Amino acid sequence: PADTHYDGEGRITVGGVALADIADQYGTPTYVLDEGEVRARCRAYRTRFPDAEIIYAGKALLTRAVAEWITDEGLSLDVCSAGELTVALSSWTDPARIVLHGNGKPFAELETAINCGVGRIVVDSLTEITLLSALANRPQRVLLRVTPDIDVHGHPALRTGVTDQKFGFPIGGQSVFEAVERILGQPNLEFAGLHCHIGSQIYDTFPYGEAVRRMVAEMARIRDGFGVTLTDLDLGGGHAVAYRGGDAEMNLAELSDIIEDSLDAACARHGFPRPRIALEPGRAIVARAGVTLYRVLSVKHVENGHTYVTVDGGMSDNPRVALYGAHYDAVVVNRHPTGPEMTATIAGRYCEAGDILARDVRLPADLRPGEVLAMPCTGAYHHSLASSYNGVGRPPIIAVRDGSARELVRRETIDDLMCRDIGH
Ligand code: LLP
């Protein structure tokens, strides 16, 4: 991987800490998170988008420490459940800077969100609009989620901009007007603006320019229909990161330019005052700050087939390969690879043939059981998507910074798993 650093002894370090030492101290599998990298990505967004609000999508990875770092760097936070909200509030995130999302928000969770004073709620159904107003005891700011009818490349499970799907109201249609009418008719709702999220792992800037043009046109249509001028436009997240060397990545400078240019043009065209822009990156903030450490359990050369390197983790700590066909790279942590190499498939330990972590990875030909592999770019949607499949507890998260390591989330033990099973 491009950003791998070897120390004088040929060991890989992240945040000034040798990954081999983390594996020895905390065991494997383990998620390692580079605090400096998370903060640097937050700053990159703040610098590139000085006029926009950057709302970190907590679904990518949320722990109390992560919430603190992103708050400290001036970001707001997007949560999509009472659980994420609780993590955020327990790390003193200002509720006013929290945005609540979801196409199906359970009654109790809406109540919790309103009671703790979340700044904005993105509404996604007519039922929710009425319910919210009934629950709110002071004006609650809301955004309306709209699908801008933009189909981006990428995995079908991540394409959220198209019309026929569970999220949002189709742009330009009658149902948006019904929702607007419903919001405006509620005494306790303050209608701040529109929201869209066109998909995830998008490296093209063009769809974002298109989203801006369409969403501003929709805001103008709402102004013309109802006489209200919305002030906020939230463009969602979805900015791609490079999982492996050579992969494409979203260029933030270009993204900023296209959003600005499209905004200027669309606002001029519709005579619409410039809205406040918000962006909701999740993956782009944390993905590349994460590395997962695995210990090699066996190396098996299958006759007339592949070489399988089985490690002590797999689909429960990284379901992204099975879910989205994602690709990863891996590297040995304790020696600079100089000798002969082999091409191997890295297999997980779980009882499914599909439990593969990476295919066609170049590894030292003499790789031995007991050696530690690092899989880069595993900071987003790994810990948050992890399960305890096959009765294996979830890995810990170890933060590294300025040469020292500390535990943010401890390993899930068998006792943790047992304590929910209350028996007969
Ligand atoms: N805003 C909304 C409303 C979203 O639904 C999402 C992601 C984001 C922002 C952040 O998207 P990001 O910048 O992280 O791409 N589990 C999948 C990704 C699911 C994304 C769901 N929504 C994966 O591992 O690729």
Side-chain angles (χ1 to χ4, degrees):
D3 50 357
T4 303
H5 304 288
Y6 290 92
D7 68 9
E9 294 157 37
R11 305 188 312 163
I12 298 177
T13 63
V14 174
V17 184
L19 294 179
D21 290 345
I22 296 179
D24 287 344
Q25 188 177 348
Y26 297 98
T28 50
T30 285
Y31 300 119
V32 178
L33 190 63
D34 182 350
E35 177 179 345
E37 179 66 16
V38 174
R39 289 180 179 273
R41 300 294 287 207
C42 293
R43 284 180 205 149
Y45 270 92
R46 297 287 315 276
T47 310
R48 288 291 181 198
F49 303 92
D51 298 328
E53 180 181 6
I54 308 299
I55 307 174
Y56 170 62
K59 55 183 82 65
L61 172 66
L62 195 64
T63 74
R64 294 202 268 182
V66 171
E68 271 170 37
W69 304 342
I70 66 108
T71 303
D72 195 37
E73 296 297 338
L75 271 57
S76 304
L77 184 64
D78 141 10
V79 301
C80 57
S81 70
E84 287 184 356
L85 182 58
T86 305
V87 174
L89 295 175
S90 67
S91 57
W92 311 110
T93 305
D94 178 2
R97 300 205 58 176
I98 295 178
V99 181
L100 177 68
H101 272 287
N103 66 306
K105 306 181 190 73
F107 180 85
E109 300 199 10
L110 272 180
E111 209 172 20
T112 307
I114 285 175
N115 290 342
C116 73
V118 300
R120 276 152 293 173
I121 297 180
V122 180
V123 294
D124 205 324
S125 76
L126 293 178
T127 312
E128 183 186 2
I129 294 167
T130 318
L131 190 58
L132 254 186
S133 180
L135 285 170
N137 42 22
R138 65 187 150 211
Q140 173 65 53
R141 277 171 82 79
V142 297
L143 301 179
L144 179 66
R145 181 153 177 176
V146 169
T147 44
D149 194 20
I150 294 172
D151 195 4
V152 291
H153 59 77
H155 194 278
L158 306 180
R159 272 148 53 185
T160 47
V162 293
T163 301
D164 185 5
Q165 55 142 328
K166 70 171 190 168
F167 289 111
F169 294 87
I171 199 163
Q174 186 53 33
S175 67
V176 168
F177 270 23
E178 279 170 32
V180 170
E181 195 169 8
R182 181 76 66 102
I183 295 171
L184 294 174
Q186 308 300 321
N188 287 334
L189 299 187
E190 190 184 315
F191 190 17
L194 299 185
H195 172 280
C196 68
H197 173 70
I198 56 179
S200 218
Q201 189 58 2
I202 302 166
Y203 41 81
D204 236 2
T205 52
F206 179 79
Y208 288 94
E210 193 56 27
V212 168
R213 287 189 283 278
R214 294 187 188 192
M215 295 297 279
V216 170
E218 190 70 347
M219 291 166 96
R221 188 172 80 102
I222 291 169
R223 175 199 56 196
D224 298 345
F226 296 88
V228 288
T229 301
L230 299 173
T231 54
D232 291 24
L233 176 56
D234 185 333
L235 295 169
H239 317 149
V241 303
Y243 278 84
R244 296 176 301 175
D247 285 357
E249 185 151 34
M250 172 58 79
N251 179 324
L252 293 187
E254 267 175 36
L255 180 63
S256 170
D257 287 348
I258 199 157
I259 289 175
E260 282 305 307
D261 293 350
S262 313
L263 201 56
D264 285 346
C267 289
R269 175 156 182 220
H270 299 283
F272 200 86
R274 197 189 154 88
R276 270 196 300 267
I277 294 292
L279 300 174
E280 295 174 340
R283 188 190 322 265
I285 301 288
V286 290
R288 290 180 59 91
V291 169
T292 305
L293 304 181
Y294 300 105
R295 210 170 276 278
V296 175
L297 297 178
S298 68
V299 179
K300 189 195 277 181
H301 304 283
V302 176
E303 282 111 331
N304 308 322
H306 290 92
T307 296
Y308 288 90
V309 172
T310 298
V311 297
D312 56 1
M315 67 188 295
S316 83
D317 61 78
N318 178 6
R320 296 195 69 261
V321 181
L323 282 174
Y324 318 115
H327 297 287
Y328 291 87
D329 218 337
V331 58
V332 187
V333 301
N334 57 353
R335 51 181 169 135
H336 208 311
T338 47
E341 292 192 329
M342 63 176 172
T343 300
T345 295
I346 302 180
R349 59 167 292 187
Y350 295 89
C351 297
E352 290 196 28
D355 174 28
I356 298 297
L357 284 169
R359 291 191 167 81
D360 298 333
V361 176
R362 300 292 290 166
L363 289 170
D366 61 347
L367 184 73
R368 295 176 300 272
E371 289 198 271
V372 175
L373 298 182
M375 200 163 275
C377 204
T378 58
Y381 305 107
H382 280 238
H383 175 261
S384 65
L385 273 181
S387 73
S388 54
Y389 185 43
N390 283 179
V392 179
R394 281 164 274 220
I397 303 180
I398 309 300
V400 289
R401 178 185 170 168
D402 301 333
S404 65
R406 66 191 197 282
E407 202 168 30
L408 299 186
V409 176
R410 69 161 170 79
R411 186 179 302 282
E412 192 172 33
T413 63
I414 293 174
D415 281 347
D416 289 330
L417 299 177
M418 285 299 290
C419 71
R420 292 173 56 240
D421 185 334
I422 49 178
H424 324 287

